[in-house]
Amino acid sequence: METAQPFFEWSYVSSQWSQISSDLIQHITLSLLALAIGLVISQPLALVAWRYRVVRVPVVGVASALYIVPSLALFAILGPITGYVASYPTAEIALVGYTLLILIWNTLAGLDAVPSDAREAATAMGFSANAQLVRVDLPLALPYVFAGLRIAAATVIGLVTVTALIGLGGLGQQITYGFNIGFYTPIIVGLVLSVALAAVCDLLLVGTQRLLIPWTRSARRRGTA
């Protein structure tokens, strides 16, 4: 009589730790690259779209189109452009595309939410338009930017697993391996580590936000007092 498969086997983790850690490092690398490139691209686009309202619709429209394209279709489209489907450029272009709408939209929301009296005070102090943007608008919009980063980070860390279908995928390779052979342990390893990675990344972003934007802490304390 065939015995039931154990739900989780620690022996797999100990024997395959080298491969698991390699997949984890690849997952972190793919995620950080996508977030960094997405941030570098999205912020100038958001600033241009905010300052010149006529540009806002096309910028948000293109970002929205990239966001709603199914990942598998995007990989197939990018393959001939990058030269090879199973490559870092193919994966990164797709992952970056999914961050743009989130980051652009949150930055626009943050800039739109800057109080008018703060802008009037900056104008009264003789700030130029660029100085006001750098010293008033952007600092006050930072909480929204960080909120976008947190959402984008969670999105990208989850989507990286899909790139396993093109030979990358980080921890997604553990999940697909487990599905292919009907073995639960690699699936659980990939799932748990992906969730843990997203949680750690979120905590790091929250900590960074508190360090860079200390006035939000005092505002919250006043609100709860």
Side-chain angles (χ1 to χ4, degrees):
M1 187 174 177
E2 197 172 311
T3 58
Q5 178 194 145
F7 187 70
F8 187 82
E9 294 185 10
W10 280 107
S11 59
Y12 172 83
V13 177
S14 57
S15 64
Q16 299 297 318
W17 179 247
S18 177
Q19 183 60 52
I20 294 170
S21 59
S22 176
D23 291 339
L24 177 60
I25 291 170
Q26 186 183 75
H27 204 113
I28 294 171
T29 302
L30 286 165
S31 300
L32 289 179
L33 275 174
L35 284 172
I37 296 170
L39 190 63
V40 168
I41 294 173
S42 65
Q43 297 312 289
L45 287 175
L47 291 176
V48 171
W50 176 71
R51 178 157 285 181
Y52 305 102
R53 297 299 173 117
V54 69
V55 181
R56 180 177 292 206
V57 172
V59 166
V60 174
V62 171
S64 300
L66 289 171
Y67 190 80
I68 64 175
V69 174
S71 54
L72 290 179
L74 194 52
F75 292 145
I77 293 169
L78 290 171
I81 299 173
T82 58
Y84 191 53
V85 174
S87 66
Y88 267 84
T90 301
E92 286 300 334
I93 291 171
L95 292 171
V96 168
Y98 289 116
T99 68
L100 293 181
L101 178 64
I102 299 168
L103 295 173
I104 290 172
W105 191 259
N106 275 269
T107 302
L108 287 173
L111 291 169
D112 287 340
V114 174
S116 58
D117 56 354
R119 291 199 176 104
E120 290 169 3
T123 301
M125 293 173 66
F127 285 6
S128 66
N130 289 333
Q132 180 180 309
L133 178 64
V134 172
R135 299 178 64 180
V136 178
D137 294 324
L138 283 176
L140 292 177
L142 275 178
Y144 289 81
V145 175
F146 271 98
L149 263 176
R150 292 173 65 186
I151 298 169
T155 301
V156 166
I157 290 170
L159 283 172
V160 165
T161 58
V162 180
T163 63
L165 299 174
I166 62 169
L168 297 173
L171 295 167
Q173 295 185 74
Q174 293 290 321
I175 297 172
T176 54
Y177 171 69
F179 273 120
N180 289 337
I181 66 172
F183 186 27
Y184 299 136
T185 302
I187 299 173
I188 298 169
V189 168
L191 175 63
V192 170
L193 287 179
S194 295
V195 172
L197 181 59
V200 169
C201 184
D202 190 67
L203 287 173
L204 288 173
L205 286 171
V206 169
T208 304
Q209 179 180 349
R210 290 185 174 223
L211 286 173
L212 293 179
I213 322 174
W215 60 85
T216 57
R217 297 200 304 269
S218 58
R220 278 196 295 269
R221 282 195 293 268
R222 285 197 303 270
T224 56

